[in-house]
Amino acid sequence: SNGYHEESVDHRLTEREWAEEWKHLDHVLNCIMDMVEKTRRSVAVLRRCQEADREELNYWKRRYSDTLDERKSSDSSSSRQHSPGSTDSPLSEEAVNEVKRQAMSEVQRAVAEAEQKALEMITSERAKMEQTIADAKRQAAEDA
């Protein structure tokens, strides 16, 4: 016998074999959910970092442009109220830090949302799996 006679193979599983199969499936689903959750977190973090970097870059572009405009007007009118090195330099650093804090807050919120969605998906999949097990046990009892 070469093992390819499908019709002669008993496909019914013992209770222990069913339990092992479902335990293995549960483990695999949990691994997949963990990978999905970690991937979502990474994507969210990368998006937030990209947004924060873009915002910071735009801020510094505007700042540079404003400085050039002020230098031009300063040269023509000798007004130095917003010249480089004036007291708004620490304020601009604080503004950049605030953007970074807001981005970090958004990252933390996105991670919390992703964790909640992953938990909901796991709960839903477990409920489906338990229903499938109950159906399979009922069907096996009917077939016995």
Side-chain angles (χ1 to χ4, degrees):
S1 172
N2 60 10
Y4 287 100
H5 295 99
E6 287 293 325
E7 64 277 354
S8 66
V9 176
D10 183 3
H11 291 288
R12 290 176 293 187
L13 299 177
T14 66
E15 196 67 31
R16 190 174 147 273
E17 290 170 326
W18 269 109
E20 284 298 312
E21 288 300 318
W22 284 112
K23 182 179 171 186
H24 174 72
L25 182 59
D26 186 54
H27 174 74
V28 169
L29 286 173
N30 283 328
C31 289
I32 291 169
M33 290 307 300
D34 285 345
M35 290 190 320
V36 168
E37 184 180 340
K38 288 175 183 173
T39 302
R40 283 184 177 160
R41 280 189 202 165
S42 294
V43 168
V45 167
L46 291 173
R47 280 186 181 144
R48 299 292 186 242
C49 289
Q50 186 178 27
E51 289 170 13
D53 287 349
R54 190 177 303 124
E55 288 173 13
E56 190 171 357
L57 180 62
N58 287 334
Y59 170 83
W60 287 111
K61 282 181 182 176
R62 284 191 309 273
R63 182 98 173 105
Y64 178 72
S65 176
D66 291 348
T67 302
L68 286 181
D69 292 345
E70 289 167 7
R71 282 185 183 163
K72 287 178 187 170
S73 67
S74 163
D75 290 343
S76 61
S77 67
S78 72
S79 165
R80 301 195 40 93
Q81 63 190 111
H82 291 294
S83 64
S86 70
T87 57
D88 71 333
S89 181
L91 294 177
S92 58
E93 184 177 333
E94 181 58 32
V96 170
N97 288 337
E98 181 58 27
V99 168
K100 288 179 179 178
R101 279 193 292 274
Q102 288 174 355
M104 184 53 66
S105 175
E106 288 179 36
V107 167
Q108 290 168 343
R109 187 173 57 241
V111 166
E113 287 173 11
E115 287 174 339
Q116 182 60 35
K117 285 179 184 175
L119 183 62
E120 290 168 5
M121 289 175 68
I122 289 171
T123 302
S124 171
E125 290 304 313
R126 280 208 174 117
K128 288 178 191 173
M129 187 175 68
E130 287 169 6
Q131 184 60 50
T132 302
I133 291 171
D135 292 347
K137 284 181 178 178
R138 183 183 40 74
Q139 186 63 46
E142 289 174 6
D143 291 348

